[in-house]
Amino acid sequence: MTLRTALPWPKYEGQGPRNRYYDDVLAGVRALPRVRSAAFTSGVPIAMQGGIWAVTTRGEESVRDFSNTASLRYTTPQYFSTLGIPIKQGRDVDVTDTPDRPIAAVVSESFAKK
């Protein structure tokens, strides 16, 4: 099941109020009977809406020809396990991935090969 949320400004302006909202909703949903797992994402799979970013490696010039782009989505912990997507190497997003820590990323096999 998917559910779309839209958080009104200025009530949810800034990361703190938004994170508290997501944490509260997830705790409530996960506590519901028969719910095995729940997570948030900034865009559901296959719905290509925004979030396309250029990707370069160190020393590589950024070229805007769309041959070097990736779809960027933010997720909460348990997103991949909720969807039944195995992580083959590395780790899932974690609650310890906070703005004051280095950015964590989970990439697809096709992204890693490219």
Side-chain angles (χ1 to χ4, degrees), residues 51-55 68-72 111:
I52 306 298
W53 295 81
V55 177
N68 62 338
T69 59
S71 176
L72 173 73
F111 177 92

Side-chain angles (χ1 to χ4, degrees), residues 34-104:
R34 299 191 317 204
V35 170
R36 291 181 289 186
S37 186
F40 270 105
T41 183
S42 60
V44 295
I46 304 179
M48 295 304 293
Q49 54 196 99
I52 306 298
W53 295 81
V55 177
T56 60
T57 56
R58 285 190 189 125
E60 182 181 82
E61 185 179 332
S62 179
V63 179
R64 298 293 296 185
D65 66 0
F66 296 100
S67 66
N68 62 338
T69 59
S71 176
L72 173 73
R73 299 291 182 257
Y74 295 98
T75 68
T76 59
Q78 300 181 22
Y79 172 75
F80 297 99
S81 61
T82 298
L83 294 182
I85 300 171
I87 295 182
K88 296 191 174 186
Q89 186 176 352
R91 66 174 179 84
D92 197 347
V93 176
D94 192 82
V95 295
T96 62
D97 294 318
T98 58
D100 60 325
R101 306 265 323 255
I103 295 172

Side-chain angles (χ1 to χ4, degrees), residues 7 9 12-23 74 99:
L7 303 182
W9 293 81
Y12 292 102
E13 186 175 359
Q15 217 45 50
R18 298 173 78 77
N19 286 346
R20 282 189 291 283
Y21 172 83
Y22 296 134
D23 290 345
Y74 295 98

